[in-house]
């Protein structure tokens, strides 16, 4: 999913697995998708916009996946990396006042949040 703003473009990878997202899945997304998207971003003359890659998982991330994401976020300067689990996603939905998303999150994914 892509969101285009005046100063940045946000690319979101959203997962609704029953199990936590593993390090293998996150690594695979970085090696196969992020580099291609970033390269395409520059080829389409969006150099004046910051690139942000967001990983959303309603089931959360394993400790190994979180460590990988934190390390990538700290070491990557070409683009920004953000990652969100259920509570952060629910809060983002509430903050945006997107009732439909908030209701879906509460009804299908939430543990009483």
């Amino acid at each position: 999913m892509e969101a285009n703003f005046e100063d940045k473009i946000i690319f979101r990878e959203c997962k609704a697995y029953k199990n936590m997202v593993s390090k293998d899945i996150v690594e695979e997304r970085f090696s196969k998708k992020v580099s291609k998207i970033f390269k395409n971003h520059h080829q389409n003359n969006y150099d004046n916009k910051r690139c942000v890659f967001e990983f959303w998982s309603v089931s959360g991330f394993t400790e190994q996946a979180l460590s990988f994401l934190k390390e990538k976020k700290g070491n990557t300067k070409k683009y920004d990396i953000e990652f969100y689990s259920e509570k952060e996603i629910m809060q983002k939905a509430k903050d945006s006042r997107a009732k439909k998303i908030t209701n879906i999150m509460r009804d299908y994914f939430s543990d009483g949040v």
Side-chain angles (χ1 to χ4, degrees):
M1 179 186 330
E2 177 184 321
N4 198 338
F5 298 93
E6 187 175 318
D7 61 335
K8 63 185 171 184
I9 297 177
I10 299 174
F11 300 95
R12 289 187 182 103
E13 179 87 19
C14 305
K15 298 295 178 199
Y17 296 151
K18 289 184 179 186
N19 297 318
M20 292 180 162
V21 172
S22 70
K23 180 182 176 191
D24 291 341
I25 291 171
V26 175
E27 279 183 318
E28 186 260 337
R29 295 300 183 262
F30 268 95
S31 66
K32 291 187 177 177
K33 287 189 175 184
V34 171
S35 60
K36 287 180 186 177
I37 291 170
F38 184 70
K39 183 178 178 182
N40 188 49
H41 167 78
H42 282 288
Q43 288 175 342
N44 287 315
N45 298 318
Y46 292 122
D47 288 339
N48 60 331
K49 293 186 178 189
R50 188 76 181 149
C51 220
V52 181
F53 292 93
E54 294 184 351
F55 295 87
W56 294 29
S57 171
V58 295
S59 59
F61 300 92
T62 65
E63 285 300 319
Q64 295 86 355
L66 281 174
S67 293
F68 177 84
L69 288 165
K70 288 174 185 175
E71 183 179 331
K72 278 287 192 188
K73 181 176 179 166
N75 294 335
T76 303
K77 305 297 180 221
K78 293 180 182 179
Y79 48 81
D80 296 330
I81 299 168
E82 301 295 336
F83 45 95
Y84 305 100
S85 293
E86 178 191 342
K87 288 185 173 121
E88 293 95 358
I89 295 167
M90 184 62 139
Q91 190 60 52
K92 285 177 92 48
K94 286 178 182 177
D95 292 346
S96 73
R97 300 177 196 250
K99 285 189 175 190
K100 187 160 185 109
I101 294 171
T102 304
N103 290 341
I104 290 169
M105 286 294 297
R106 185 190 63 238
D107 293 346
Y108 294 100
F109 301 110
S110 182
D111 289 334
V113 176

